[in-house]
Amino acid sequence: MIPNTVLLVGSGGREHALACKLRESNPSFHLILAPGNPGMADLGERVPIPATDLDALTSLAVGRGVNLAVIGPEAPLAMGLADRLRAVGVQVFGPSAGAARIESSKAYARELMTRAGVPQPAYGAFNRLPDALEYLGRIESAGAIGAVVKASGLAAGKGAVVCPSLSEARLQAASMLEGGEFGEAGSEIVIEELLEGEEASLLVVCDGEAALPLLPAQDHKRAFDGDEGPNTGGMGAYAPAPVLTTALVNEAMERIVLPVLAELAASGFPFIGCLYAGLMLTVDGLKVIEFNCRFGDPETQVVLPLLDEDFLTLISLAASGRLPDRPLRWKPGRCVGVVLASGGYPGSYETGLPIEGTDAASRLPGVSVFHAGTRVAQGVLVTAGGRVLCVSAMGQGYEEAIDLAYRAAELIRFEGKMLRTDIGAGVRGREVKARLT
Ligand code: AMP
Ligand code: GLY
């Protein structure tokens, strides 16, 4: 049965892209957006309930006869929104709090991967500084030069610190475990072997047992061109990412995703929703950098425009444990997304600045302008967050998609607009290679 009342939880660019794709498959179902954003106004009914107000969302779902819920962000998933909605009879695309621990506890995720026999960096998990320092001493004696120190809990994507030297790793461990950096999220830390290689994101639609991979994508996490500056939520992305060839995607499914899903199910937490595998292709093959329990942002804004499926049906089949037994269909072409951020992001920034040109940009064929940090004040669209918009563009090749995305991004103006000028630059010359694989 195709659901007739769908609740989509969240308000970012990822949720805007999800709403567009759901609406594309079916113009007539009722879509409730909690709370949504101004870009989504024509796609459904916006209800001003925050994504983390579990009581209000559950009452809304019961009161409005919601029969499918799609949960975008990690915070409500970690808090148990999917469990609450399932308990009142709603089908949910999004994991239980137990399954969401794969993102909300990096220590748990690493231990789960160990049990599943998944390739990953060497690591140790600690909640006492002396133990962490002892581990760092041990890896130093074994020849390590640097390490990655991560807050185990949710830290808005900022809890992983790459430390090129072990003295930095020691200071970082102390700052998290004893200095209160990242608060409760840093009361347990994971110290990982510092890997090298190209990264890619593999988003996988899961129904608790079976799983279907989406096209791989690559995110640009650093704030400035040339991968300089602080980590951000993501400044742009492109898909497909040629580094993950079809053979490597198959290998990632066999050796990483399916064993992890089986381990989760065996522990009583079957995963229903989008499992995001952050992978690195090292000289020793694929390794897992992290798992997220949700669609990526901005990866979703470049992967979904390429999907050639009835998305509402696909999501509702996944939510009811009935994913089809065939690969997903894709449109030919490439998609590139450029994030327009507020000046100062990911540090402090001003908000309330008028935005112009979104309509002109959206009118370019092949372009979608996904809203994230925007709101309407006295009838005017203004900035309201760090990442303001994501301009996604489709093209036959990367070159065409990149040029179109930047042409569209230029049409949009707001004071302090910040963007990377090198999104996708690494794949400009890789067209032929991508086609051959
Ligand atoms: P995470 O929040 O775990 O995705 O980490 C954020 C970023 O830190 C990743 O995208 C990588 O670029 C880097 N990173 C995380 N873990 C490692 C690792 N073990 N080795 C090298 N780089 C890492
Ligand atoms: N783009 C990184 C993330 O969604 O976590």
Side-chain angles (χ1 to χ4, degrees):
M1 187 197 74
I2 301 300
N4 50 27
T5 305
V6 179
L7 170 65
L8 173 61
V9 177
S11 61
R14 163 184 51 209
E15 286 77 21
H16 190 176
L18 287 164
C20 284
K21 202 69 192 177
L22 288 167
R23 184 50 84 204
E24 185 185 298
S25 46
N26 183 325
S28 61
F29 75 98
H30 190 64
L31 180 59
I32 303 175
L33 306 157
N37 66 43
M40 295 149 86
D42 295 339
L43 297 168
E45 175 197 3
R46 288 187 63 197
V47 176
I49 300 177
T52 49
D53 189 341
L54 271 49
D55 289 340
L57 290 169
T58 309
S59 306
L60 174 82
V62 172
R64 302 292 293 275
V66 167
N67 34 29
L68 174 69
V70 182
I71 304 171
E74 63 276 19
L77 291 164
M79 291 165 73
L81 179 58
D83 309 76
R84 293 279 300 271
L85 293 173
R86 287 195 182 102
V88 294
V90 177
Q91 276 190 348
V92 183
F93 186 80
S96 63
R101 282 186 76 208
I102 199 159
E103 175 168 1
S104 63
S105 167
K106 287 185 191 289
Y108 168 79
R110 287 289 177 217
E111 185 207 309
L112 184 85
M113 284 181 252
T114 303
R115 274 190 273 137
V118 161
Q120 60 173 334
Y123 75 96
F126 309 96
N127 46 33
R128 290 181 57 246
L129 184 59
D131 298 339
L133 295 179
E134 198 263 331
Y135 179 82
L136 286 167
R138 238 181 321 127
I139 62 170
E140 186 163 40
S141 308
I145 302 205
V148 184
V149 180
K150 298 183 177 180
S152 181
L154 290 181
K158 298 182 181 120
V161 184
V162 175
C163 303
S165 74
L166 289 179
S167 49
E168 284 164 85
R170 288 188 177 92
L171 289 173
Q172 193 54 55
S175 166
M176 288 185 190
L177 285 174
E178 294 195 344
E181 194 185 2
F182 303 115
E184 183 55 30
S187 64
E188 183 174 29
I189 63 168
V190 177
I191 300 178
E192 296 178 5
E193 175 189 0
L194 179 53
L195 299 176
E196 277 178 36
E198 194 171 349
E199 289 179 61
S201 311
L202 185 64
L203 277 50
V204 183
V205 175
C206 307
D207 75 357
E209 212 173 295
L212 291 172
L214 305 185
L215 283 180
Q218 197 172 80
D219 179 14
H220 296 61
K221 288 198 170 81
R222 300 296 188 110
F224 310 130
D225 283 5
D227 287 335
E228 300 284 342
N231 263 327
T232 69
M235 293 299 291
Y238 62 84
V243 60
L244 282 194
T245 57
T246 306
L248 283 173
V249 169
N250 291 340
E251 185 186 323
M253 291 302 291
E254 291 306 318
R255 295 188 54 212
I256 294 171
V257 174
L258 294 174
V260 157
L261 290 175
E263 192 60 40
L264 277 168
S267 345
F269 302 115
F271 192 101
I272 299 174
C274 177
L275 182 66
Y276 168 134
L279 304 172
M280 191 181 269
L281 183 58
T282 72
V283 285
D284 300 319
L286 286 175
K287 298 208 175 169
V288 178
I289 292 292
E290 65 165 347
F291 278 113
N292 292 322
C293 66
R294 49 164 175 86
F295 285 99
D297 188 339
E299 288 93 334
T300 305
Q301 293 92 305
V302 295
V303 169
L304 289 189
L306 292 166
L307 183 65
D308 194 12
E309 293 279 346
D310 175 336
F311 193 54
L312 178 62
T313 301
L314 177 70
I315 290 296
S316 68
L317 286 173
S320 56
R322 294 178 296 138
L323 265 186
D325 185 19
R326 60 160 178 85
L328 296 173
R329 288 179 290 252
W330 297 93
K331 296 176 189 167
R334 317 289 186 220
C335 190
V336 171
V338 177
V339 168
L340 308 185
S342 295
Y345 175 76
S348 58
Y349 48 81
E350 217 180 310
T351 59
L353 302 166
I355 306 169
E356 287 171 8
T358 50
D359 290 342
S362 314
R363 275 196 296 271
L364 294 177
V367 170
S368 305
V369 178
F370 297 117
H371 289 226
T374 68
R375 69 187 160 84
V376 174
Q378 288 154 358
V380 177
L381 186 70
V382 299
T383 62
R387 291 191 292 174
V388 178
L389 299 161
C390 176
V391 179
S392 292
M394 299 262 286
Q396 281 180 6
Y398 298 113
E399 196 85 29
E400 190 184 322
I402 293 167
D403 292 344
L404 181 58
Y406 279 105
R407 238 184 322 128
E410 250 174 52
L411 296 174
I412 300 176
R413 290 173 303 277
F414 57 87
E415 203 184 307
K417 180 179 93 175
M418 194 179 96
L419 76 172
R420 275 183 63 161
T421 64
D422 62 349
I423 303 301
V427 283
R428 266 193 192 267
R430 284 164 73 173
E431 205 62 64
V432 174
K433 200 167 155 200
R435 249 190 246 122
L436 285 176
T437 53

